[in-house]
Amino acid sequence: MRDGLTRNLRGSASGLSFSEFRQAFESSLVVLSGAAAGTRLALRQPRTVIGRGQDADVRIADASLSRQHAVVEYVPAGGFRVRDLGSTNGVTVDGRRVDAVDLEPGDRFALGEVEFQLLVEEREDEPEVYELTLDS
């Protein structure tokens, strides 16, 4: 755990389909910089395109982003990957430009000048609910 909210998923989520993963875990991206800083973006699809264009699943109005900048995709090995879609300003992790990188919960990456952090939290079990009927 890097931030107290996330955990290593490689063992517990390995081999799960995306729908099975979503039943056990809640995943999101937090925007850490730029005009959208503080926004939490739920990852509800196995593939989420981020950019400033109308075709992007997540649109962020920032001039450093391409229309379809990058995609964050679920990897059945139990995690997520961010992949550059041929953007002008690229995807960077720890200050170095990458074409694609597997993400661990808590990892930070930047698209252009906008920084994101991946959060993955285990869903709490729903409490059992019992119905009580009284005989009169």
Side-chain angles (χ1 to χ4, degrees):
M1 278 193 280
R2 297 177 190 190
D3 60 6
L5 297 175
T6 59
R7 54 181 288 201
N8 185 337
L9 301 177
R10 294 294 174 212
S12 60
S14 183
L16 296 179
S17 71
F18 186 70
S19 61
E20 293 169 327
F21 178 85
R22 282 203 19 113
Q23 288 176 356
F25 301 96
E26 183 177 342
S27 53
S28 59
L29 295 175
V30 176
V31 182
L32 300 175
S33 64
T39 304
R40 189 171 178 153
L41 310 165
L43 297 173
R44 295 189 177 114
Q45 303 169 16
R47 185 176 189 279
T48 302
V49 175
I50 303 170
R52 62 176 167 78
Q54 294 297 319
D55 294 346
D57 299 314
V58 172
R59 288 183 291 274
I60 298 177
D62 188 289
S64 70
L65 295 181
S66 294
R67 287 187 297 274
Q68 288 193 351
H69 198 102
V71 62
V72 175
E73 47 199 358
Y74 177 70
V75 180
F80 289 89
R81 171 180 298 133
V82 61
R83 185 169 46 88
D84 192 351
L85 295 176
S87 67
T88 301
N89 293 319
V91 176
T92 57
V93 176
D94 296 328
R96 75 181 166 88
R97 193 165 176 163
V98 297
D99 290 328
V101 65
D102 289 339
L103 300 171
E104 293 287 334
D107 280 354
R108 295 175 180 212
F109 63 94
L111 306 181
E113 296 177 10
V114 181
E115 189 177 15
F116 297 84
Q117 182 177 27
L118 174 67
L119 297 182
V120 179
E121 300 169 293
E122 192 167 354
R123 291 188 188 274
E124 293 184 22
D125 290 333
E126 302 250 346
E128 293 186 29
V129 177
Y130 299 94
E131 185 175 326
L132 180 63
T133 57
L134 300 174
D135 293 328
S136 334

